[in-house]
Amino acid sequence: MDRYEKLRYWMVESQIIERGIRDPRVIEAMKKVPRHLFVPEDIVDSAYDDRALPIGHGQTISQPYIVALMTELLELKGDEKVLEIGTGSGYQAAVLGELAKEVHTIERIEELAEGAKEILKNLGYKNIVVHIRDGTEGLPEHGPYDRIIITAATPDIPPPLISQLKEGGIIIAPVGERWSQHILKAFKKGETLERHYLIPVAFVPLIGKFGWQES
Ligand code: SAM
């Protein structure tokens, strides 16, 4: 076992299992995906710390526990088509790639999207496609989706994403104010969402037509 693998196993034990994540597939994925390859080189030694980390352009890679929690909430079995809004480093997309059939992930900052594409390609993921555009408008050409995950703070669920979610599908997102939100788990029921608000979180803002305006 190399140094990073040891740190990763320790991360999964102490930050993820200890805090109540139970889905064995999520635990295996978190043990497998090399998080240290998704962070900037100068902070690689902090990759398995219990916190979000900067990835440039004022953006972050989320705390490992939050990645595990949001992933578990998606209830993935393996045959789903998933849409992620907010590729960032590509780490969450890799975790989703381990657990779903097909993953489309959208990033608005070109340099981040290109960086994520490169890492995901080098790691051999063939079921993840990175798109560069405003994710608040979704990706209708590949929908509808079984699951949608937004990994940036949104004032509410953008209407195009509700339209692109399958009936009975699940959407997970940090919903609330620009700098403080709650994780929302919602099920699509007809044209509306059955909403369950969970723990408080602080994500960077979702910037776009149906998100926040750039400040
Ligand atoms: N999931 C990422 C990871 O694993 O590293 C972390 C996401 S980071 C907290 C939020 C990301 O959402 C940023 O990279 C940001 O540029 C992106 N973002 C913000 N608004 C967006 C939009 N309208 N469409 C696509 N991406 C957006």
Side-chain angles (χ1 to χ4, degrees), residues 59-60 84 86-89 92 106-109 134-135 151 207:
Q59 307 304 322
T60 53
E84 180 195 22
T87 312
S89 67
Q92 171 78 72
I106 310 178
E107 174 56 56
R108 65 184 278 275
I109 300 175
D134 174 7
T151 60
I207 308 287

Side-chain angles (χ1 to χ4, degrees), residues 72-158:
E72 184 173 68
L73 290 169
L74 286 171
E75 300 180 22
L76 296 169
K77 303 287 176 260
D79 57 354
E80 298 86 358
K81 192 196 292 186
V82 181
L83 176 65
E84 180 195 22
I85 317 299
T87 312
S89 67
Y91 175 67
Q92 171 78 72
V95 172
L96 295 172
E98 293 290 332
L99 298 168
K101 186 169 169 201
E102 186 179 334
V103 178
H104 292 275
T105 179
I106 310 178
E107 174 56 56
R108 65 184 278 275
I109 300 175
E110 191 175 346
E111 291 83 355
L112 290 178
E114 294 300 343
K117 249 186 220 177
E118 184 70 16
I119 301 166
L120 293 167
K121 188 176 129 222
N122 291 342
L123 287 172
Y125 287 101
K126 299 211 181 332
N127 60 341
I128 305 173
V129 188
V130 180
H131 305 262
I132 306 169
R133 61 168 74 178
D134 174 7
T136 70
E137 303 206 57
L139 192 67
E141 58 269 42
H142 292 283
Y145 302 94
D146 301 288
R147 304 287 187 262
I148 298 179
I149 175 170
I150 308 176
T151 60
T154 181
D156 204 350
I157 302 298

